[in-house]
Amino acid sequence: MQTSAASAEPPRPAATGLTGHRRFLNACACQSVDRPPVWLMRQAGRALPEYRALRQKHSFLELVQTPELAAEVTLQPVRRFGFDAAILFSDILVTAEGLGQKYRFDDNHGIRMDFSFHSAADLSRLDARALPERLQYIPRALRLVKAALGEQTALIGFAGSPWTLATFMAEGGSAEKYTRALGLFRKDRKTYFELAEKLTAAVIAHLQMQIQAGVDAIQIFDSHGGLLAPTEFQEASGRWIRQIISELRTSTLRSRATAEDGPNSELPIIVFSFGTHGNWDDLLATGADVLGIDWRFPLADARRLLPCDVGLQGNLVPALLSDATAETVAAESSRLLEVMRGRNGHIFNLGHGVPPEAKLENIAALVETVKNFK
Ligand code: CP3
C-alpha cells in the first residue's frame, strides 16, 4: 500500500457485509462488491443426493410442475452451499410446452417431445395464447422461493433463446446432432422466421410472468448458438434475443418502475451463449447487462475484449468438478479470480452447467475459494 501524500485520493468505500442478493445485483451493474458473487448453472439437480432422493419418488416433470417440489429443489443447493443467487428449478422447454409442444424426460433418451417441428404446416400447432395458463406452476413456484429467500439471496428466472428452443423443437427432443433447425434456417428462411417470431413472443410472455412473480434477474440460455456459423448467428439467434431484451426493458421495466418498487427497477439480463466466440459484437448488441463466458474461451481475453460496463459471468471448466481434486478446483478458481481482480462486474460461475457426476467436495472447494477471496 502507498502512503505518500501523492496518493491522497480517498479510498473507495469497501462494500463489506453485503447480502448475496445485493452482491449479485451490484456485480450485474458493474458496481463495487466485497468479493465476486457465486452461483452455478445447473446448481440444482443430479449432483445433489437430496435431489436424487426426491427423484426416486417423482418424475422430472412432477418436480418441475409441482410448485412446492420445484421450490424445494431450487432451495437445496442454496442451503447446502450458500450461493449468492438461486435459479428456479425448471427447464427451457417449458416455453415449448406453453406453445403446445409437450415434452417429457426419459432417463435413457433425455428429452422427448410429443411431435417435432418439420415445416410451415407445423406452425399452426403452436399457439402462445394459452401459455400463461399452461405455465401457472412457474409463478407459483417462484413466489414460494422468493418468500423463503427473503432479501438474502437473489433469485434468477430464465428462458431458452428462440434459436436454442428451435433446435430441440425441430428434433423433437434430445438428439445426437441438432441439424434439423439448421436445415430449416438455411433452406426455408421464411418458415424459420415465422417460428422464431412465435418463439420470441412466447419467451417474452414466459419471462414477463417470471418478472411479475418477483425474480431479481433473468438469464437467457443460448446453449446451441455455437452450432451456427458466425455469419449466421445474428439472423438465427442474436436479433431475436435483442428483441426479447428490448421488449422486456420497455414494457415490464417501465411498469415495475412506476409500481411498488419505486426507483429500484433494476432487472439485470444475462445472456449465456455457448461457442459463439466470433460474435461478441452481436452479443453486445443484444443489450445484455452481463455476458456468460463459456469454458472454451479464456476469461482474460473476455476481460480484454469486452467493455467494462458489461458484466462477465464464468467460467470454470465444469468437468473439473467431476474429474479433478478439490485442490485443483480451488487453484483454478483462484486463478480465475486473479484474472478478474480489479474488474468490476465479475460473477463467478462455471463455463456451462454442473455435471451430474460432480463431487460435492469440489463444489464446496469452489464456493469456499470465492468466499475467501480478498
Ligand atoms: O440450473 C439449474 O439448476 C436450474 C434448472 C435447469 C434445468 N435445465 C434442469 C434440468 C435449467 C436452468 C435448465 C436449462 C436447460 N434445459 C438448458 C440450458 C442450459 C444448458 O445446460 O445448456 C437446456 C439445453 C435444457 C434442455 C434439457 N433439459 C436437456 C437437453 C435435458 C436432458 C439432458 C440432461 O441434462 O439430463 C434436460 C433435463 C434436465 N433439466 C435435468 C435437469 C436437472 C435432468 C433431469 C433429471 O435427470 O432429473
Side-chain angles (χ1 to χ4, degrees):
M1 195 156 110
Q2 291 184 0
T3 51
S4 76
S7 67
E9 192 186 326
R12 263 200 298 168
T16 51
L18 299 175
T19 62
H21 177 262
R22 193 66 258 160
R23 183 178 293 116
F24 175 77
L25 288 178
N26 276 8
C28 287
C30 291
Q31 288 163 3
S32 71
V33 283
D34 45 359
R35 55 143 176 102
V38 56
W39 72 280
L40 306 180
M41 294 186 273
R42 296 283 191 110
Q43 64 192 22
R46 286 164 292 185
L48 301 188
E50 54 272 37
Y51 174 82
R52 294 198 299 267
L54 269 182
R55 275 286 271 121
Q56 301 260 299
K57 292 189 264 173
H58 305 279
S59 71
F60 172 66
L61 276 197
E62 270 167 20
L63 295 182
V64 167
Q65 295 177 355
T66 311
E68 291 72 20
L69 294 174
E72 168 58 22
V73 175
T74 303
L75 294 168
Q76 284 175 345
V78 178
R79 274 190 216 118
R80 187 182 269 271
F81 297 111
F83 289 116
D84 294 300
I87 181 160
L88 176 69
F89 181 78
S90 184
D91 203 89
I92 60 167
L93 297 170
V94 301
T95 306
E97 179 203 338
L99 280 167
Q101 189 177 6
K102 286 196 192 149
Y103 74 101
R104 67 206 142 78
F105 178 76
D106 173 325
D107 282 320
N108 300 317
H109 301 99
I111 296 294
R112 286 291 173 97
M113 306 187 88
D114 278 5
F115 62 90
S116 6
F117 184 99
H118 285 305
S119 63
D122 297 315
L123 284 165
S124 63
R125 303 171 88 166
L126 304 175
D127 183 356
R129 278 171 301 184
L131 182 142
E133 188 51 43
R134 287 183 178 132
L135 301 187
Q136 267 311 311
Y137 56 85
I138 289 182
R140 289 201 188 114
L142 284 169
R143 290 202 170 89
L144 295 174
V145 176
K146 187 81 189 154
L149 296 175
E151 285 304 301
Q152 284 307 308
T153 307
L155 176 55
I156 303 170
F158 70 91
S161 70
W163 163 252
T164 293
L165 289 169
T167 61
F168 284 101
M169 292 163 73
E171 301 293 336
S174 305
E176 193 116 351
K177 284 187 175 163
Y178 293 85
T179 50
R180 287 185 181 172
L182 284 170
L184 193 67
F185 175 74
R186 289 171 184 159
K187 293 183 213 155
D188 184 359
R189 186 69 55 99
K190 182 166 174 288
T191 302
Y192 177 74
F193 279 174
E194 285 178 69
L195 174 61
E197 260 168 40
K198 284 202 173 200
L199 286 168
T200 298
V203 168
I204 290 168
H206 179 201
L207 290 174
Q208 279 173 335
M209 287 171 74
Q210 298 182 56
I211 293 166
Q212 275 153 19
V215 297
D216 300 297
I218 290 290
Q219 176 154 322
I220 297 174
F221 285 94
D222 186 37
S223 312
H224 287 172
L227 298 178
L228 293 154
T231 47
E232 296 170 320
F233 177 80
Q234 177 63 5
E235 285 298 294
S237 190
R239 62 178 276 200
W240 309 99
I241 299 176
R242 178 187 178 141
Q243 200 174 313
I244 291 163
I245 293 177
S246 114
E247 178 64 27
L248 292 180
R249 290 250 153 79
T250 50
S251 66
T252 320
L253 302 189
R254 191 182 301 137
S255 69
R256 250 190 161 210
T258 53
E260 68 275 16
D261 294 0
N264 186 19
S265 62
E266 57 189 336
L267 184 101
I269 300 179
I270 308 167
V271 170
F272 174 76
S273 185
F274 190 95
T276 48
H277 311 143
N279 294 96
W280 295 118
D281 287 345
D282 298 326
L283 290 164
L284 291 169
T286 63
D289 301 281
V290 177
L291 290 179
I293 308 300
D294 74 52
W295 61 274
R296 309 284 294 269
F297 195 76
L299 198 54
D301 291 0
R303 176 177 184 168
R304 193 166 43 75
L305 285 172
L306 296 167
C308 53
D309 60 349
V310 172
L312 301 180
Q313 177 173 277
N315 77 345
L316 190 83
V317 179
L320 292 181
L321 293 184
S322 51
D323 300 352
T325 61
E327 289 70 34
T328 303
V329 168
E332 186 55 16
S333 302
S334 297
R335 189 188 66 77
L336 291 170
L337 290 161
E338 287 303 337
V339 161
M340 296 301 281
R341 184 184 284 284
R343 201 278 194 196
N344 279 352
H346 181 210
I347 298 159
F348 200 97
N349 206 312
L350 302 177
H352 204 170
V354 175
E357 310 77 22
K359 296 182 211 156
L360 297 175
E361 73 256 31
N362 286 9
I363 303 177
L366 178 162
V367 173
E368 282 319 300
T369 305
V370 181
K371 288 192 174 177
N372 292 331
F373 182 65
K374 292 200 178 66

